[in-house]
């Protein structure tokens, strides 16, 4: 019995040693992955940047085919569709969006709006990139901005933001995510968010911007995080509308204490409501992330239906726009929530994005980014740390999940701005563009 304390002590030391060794090996593995990515990016040769007219891919014949098919659609609730339908996209929603596309939507408006910007295409590594490039004035020449969208967005997401930023004199670069709209689908496997981050960084350097501000949402937030993590010397500041700080001891502690003593850990009522009650948060995450799992495992299986059928496109992607832009109030019917989302996002904005997806036949390719993320970048995301680069987070109430400032500090070490808004959702550039731009400009003034 005399030796028991020494045995226990020895076991504890052994466990600590093994944990530290595992962390060291994991850190070495991740650093090797980052070095490999950087080496690959450094091997990419610069290619010519060519002017591009998006109207060349927005053919009236494609839109006519889309509307002709919708007029012949078979989307009626052949079986009972309960008022509180638990089955996904209601047929009523599909029919209402289809009716707007066929009876009211002006397809030429998409070409007219996008035609107001200068568009370009280039090849970065294996990625054929489309991007908008708007040059600002001398006053803000030192703070160029790259705007990054995610799935299932297109460059249309920024059609309101770019003019607002241009009006204030900022230079803006806005690439289309590979396989989304005017950026071609990747021709090789492995084009993950980390690879795209390297491509975007290379693009900015080729345009002459050695340092820049990043603003992203959805996968754009993830890619922005990766760019900042891998190339901190190039990033003046990082602004996200989706907070991707990783879970750890901070949020767990805050959530547990906040359940009992909210005033002890939450500084505002908004902050408290963004996390609690936990039952509603769990329900939102469970129902709102179904697509994430499907597209991470079998993206092509769903993609065929969307490339071939505009009904499939509305039912999967159109639904996502509205569902991510509403409050998802459990006391309302699904259609009441979706109609709120349609009002917030804008029915013409929904149709414009769907028209671009249809004309470029990119729905299937767009979903593969989820597979590539899970196959290549999950560990990288889970171990991201951005200790020094200034960070701003814009929080919108209809976002699918929230992480508080306290919890975010474990990943972001230099949070300069953390704003809560009373209106807006996952696609804030569509449903609260003034707030996004105001936050971004205010952030730049703080750090420039």
């Amino acid at each position: 019995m005399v030796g028991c304390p020494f045995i226990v002590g020895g076991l504890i030391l052994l466990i600590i040693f093994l944990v530290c060794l595992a962390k060291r090996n994991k850190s070495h593995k991740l650093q090797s992955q980052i070095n490999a990515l950087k080496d690959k990016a450094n091997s990419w040769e610069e290619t010519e940047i060519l002017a591009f007219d998006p109207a060349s891919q927005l053919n009236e014949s494609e839109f006519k085919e889309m509307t002709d098919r919708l007029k012949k659609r078979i989307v009626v609730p052949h079986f009972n569709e309960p008022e509180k339908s638990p089955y996904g996209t209601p047929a009523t929603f599909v029919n209402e969006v289809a009716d707007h596309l066929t009876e009211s939507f002006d397809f030429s408006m998409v070409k007219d709006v996008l035609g107001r910007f200068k568009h370009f295409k280039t090849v970065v590594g294996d990625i054929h990139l489309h991007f908008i490039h708007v040059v600002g004035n001398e006053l803000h020449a030192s703070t160029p901005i790259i705007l990054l969208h995610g799935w299932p967005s297109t460059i249309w997401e920024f059609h309101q933001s770019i003019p607002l930023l241009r009006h204030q004199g900022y230079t803006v670069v806005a690439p289309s995510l590979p396989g989304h709209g005017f950026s071609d689908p990747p021709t090789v496997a492995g084009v993950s968010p980390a690879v795209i981050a390297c491509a975007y960084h290379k693009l900015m350097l080729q345009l002459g911007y050695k340092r820049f501000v990043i603003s992203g949402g959805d996968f754009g937030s993830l890619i922005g995080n990766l760019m900042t993590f891998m190339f901190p010397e190039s990033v003046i500041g990082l602004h996200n509308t989706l907070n991707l700080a990783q879970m750890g001891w901070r949020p767990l502690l805050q959530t547990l204490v906040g359940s009992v003593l909210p005033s002890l850990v939450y500084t505002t009522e908004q902050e408290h409501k963004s996390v609690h009650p936990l039952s509603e948060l769990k329900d939102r995450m469970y129902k709102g992330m179904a697509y994430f799992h499907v597209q991470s495992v079998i993206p092509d299986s769903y993609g065929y239906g969307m490339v071939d059928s505009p009904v499939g496109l509305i039912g999967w992607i159109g639904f996502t726009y509205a569902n991510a832009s509403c409050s998802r109030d459990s006391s309302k019917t699904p259609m009441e929530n979706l109609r709120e989302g349609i009002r917030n996002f804008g029915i013409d904005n929904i149709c414009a994005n769907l028209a671009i997806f249809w004309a470029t036949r990119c729905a299937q390719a767009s979903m593969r980014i989820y597979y590539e993320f899970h196959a290549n970048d999950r560990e990288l995301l889970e171990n991201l740390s951005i200790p020094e680069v200034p960070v701003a987070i814009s929080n919108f109430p209809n976002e699918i999940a929230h992480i508080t400032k306290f919890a975010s500090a474990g990943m972001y070490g230099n949070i300069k701005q953390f704003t809560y808004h009373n209106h807006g959702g996952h696609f804030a550039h569509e449903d609260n563009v003034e707030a996004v731009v105001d936050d971004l400009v205010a952030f730049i003034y703080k750090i420039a």
Side-chain angles (χ1 to χ4, degrees):
M1 296 298 291
V2 175
C4 281
F6 295 101
I7 294 172
V8 172
L11 287 172
I12 291 173
L13 289 174
L14 178 61
I15 292 170
I16 293 173
F17 171 76
L18 291 174
V19 169
C20 291
L21 183 63
K23 285 186 175 181
R24 181 183 174 186
N25 290 338
K26 193 171 187 179
S27 175
H28 178 74
K29 178 183 175 183
L30 291 171
Q31 190 58 52
S32 297
Q33 182 183 355
I34 293 167
N35 291 340
L37 285 165
K38 288 184 174 181
D39 288 343
K40 182 177 182 179
N42 288 333
S43 71
W44 293 336
E45 295 182 2
E46 287 190 4
T47 59
E48 189 178 5
I49 293 175
L50 301 173
F52 170 72
D53 182 3
S56 64
Q57 287 188 262
L58 296 174
N59 299 318
E60 291 287 348
S61 59
E62 293 285 357
F63 184 65
K64 185 177 185 304
E65 181 191 4
M66 183 186 199
T67 55
D68 285 347
R69 290 198 189 190
L70 287 172
K71 289 173 184 176
K72 299 174 183 177
R73 69 188 181 274
I74 307 173
V75 184
V76 290
H78 291 295
F79 50 87
N80 181 37
E81 185 178 63
E83 196 171 273
K84 286 185 175 288
S85 171
Y87 304 115
T89 310
T92 306
F93 173 83
V94 175
N95 284 321
E96 288 187 6
V97 175
D99 286 344
H100 188 80
L101 272 164
T102 56
E103 298 170 9
S104 306
F105 182 65
D106 180 8
F107 178 67
S108 64
M109 176 268 295
V110 180
K111 292 190 287 186
D112 292 342
V113 171
L114 292 180
R116 298 168 190 167
F117 311 118
K118 290 185 177 181
H119 298 254
F120 302 89
K121 277 198 169 186
T122 192
V123 180
V124 184
D126 298 315
I127 302 173
H128 291 248
L129 275 182
H130 157 265
F131 62 97
I132 290 173
H133 186 197
V134 174
V135 179
N137 59 33
E138 287 297 320
L139 179 63
H140 298 298
S142 63
T143 52
I145 302 164
I146 182 169
L147 298 177
L148 308 179
H149 72 81
W151 185 91
S153 283
T154 67
I155 201 66
W156 183 263
E157 180 173 338
F158 303 130
H159 79 280
Q160 299 175 86
S161 311
I162 294 173
L164 290 173
L165 290 167
R166 178 173 58 186
H167 179 71
Q168 298 189 53
Y170 288 97
T171 290
V172 179
V173 178
S176 291
L177 197 61
H180 291 63
F182 306 115
S183 283
D184 296 350
T187 55
V188 296
V191 180
S192 69
V195 174
I196 297 168
C198 291
Y200 285 172
H201 178 253
K202 189 86 171 183
L203 173 65
M204 293 300 281
L205 295 182
Q206 186 173 351
L207 292 172
Y209 306 126
K210 294 182 179 179
R211 283 175 56 76
F212 47 86
V213 176
I214 301 172
S215 180
D218 192 80
F219 261 109
S221 293
L222 170 58
I223 293 168
N225 281 356
L226 290 165
M227 290 174 72
T228 306
F229 178 61
M230 291 190 289
F231 309 104
E233 70 283 354
S234 295
V235 183
I236 300 169
L238 172 67
H239 168 246
N240 283 337
T241 58
L242 175 63
N243 188 350
L244 290 172
Q246 294 302 294
M247 299 298 285
W249 69 269
R250 284 173 175 269
L252 180 60
L253 175 64
Q254 186 179 45
T255 302
L256 292 175
V257 175
S259 299
V260 183
L261 299 169
S263 60
L264 192 64
V265 294
Y266 298 114
T267 56
T268 66
E269 184 64 20
Q270 271 183 317
E271 193 175 49
H272 177 241
K273 286 183 177 180
S274 72
V275 180
H276 295 276
L278 292 177
S279 58
E280 289 188 10
L281 176 63
K282 179 184 176 183
D283 189 59
R284 287 202 307 272
M285 290 292 291
Y286 174 71
K287 292 180 179 178
M289 297 297 285
Y291 74 93
F292 196 98
H293 177 70
V294 169
Q295 293 175 189
S296 299
V297 182
I298 49 170
D300 279 11
S301 299
Y302 280 70
Y304 296 118
M306 280 174 271
V307 170
D308 184 66
S309 167
V311 167
L313 198 61
I314 295 171
W316 193 253
I317 289 180
F319 168 78
T320 301
Y321 296 139
N323 191 52
S325 303
C326 67
S327 59
R328 297 177 291 281
D329 188 338
S330 58
S331 67
K332 298 178 181 178
T333 67
M335 270 312 302
E336 286 174 335
N337 279 316
L338 289 173
R339 287 194 179 107
E340 176 199 343
I342 291 171
R343 290 192 299 272
N344 291 339
F345 194 96
I347 185 64
D348 279 343
N349 288 330
I350 291 175
C351 292
N353 280 292
L354 292 175
I356 293 171
F357 264 90
W358 180 259
T360 59
R361 293 298 201 275
C362 67
Q364 184 175 16
S366 73
M367 296 192 295
R368 289 184 180 180
I369 191 171
Y370 287 86
Y371 182 93
E372 298 293 0
F373 164 68
H374 275 264
N376 300 285
D377 295 347
R378 283 200 68 177
E379 281 193 29
L380 195 56
L381 175 64
E382 290 166 1
N383 291 274
L384 279 184
S385 176
I386 301 173
E388 297 180 2
V389 175
V391 172
I393 306 291
S394 297
N395 300 277
F396 295 91
N398 294 335
E399 185 59 84
I400 191 169
H402 296 86
I403 302 175
T404 63
K405 183 178 181 179
F406 172 81
S408 303
M411 177 173 169
Y412 303 119
N414 188 14
I415 299 175
K416 294 291 188 183
Q417 185 173 293
F418 202 89
T419 313
Y420 285 95
H421 295 281
N422 294 320
H423 172 71
H426 187 70
F427 302 100
H429 283 270
E430 301 278 19
D431 61 10
N432 198 348
V433 62
E434 292 85 1
V436 178
V437 170
D438 286 349
D439 276 5
L440 177 55
V441 171
F443 175 53
I444 291 172
Y445 271 101
K446 290 176 183 176
I447 63 175

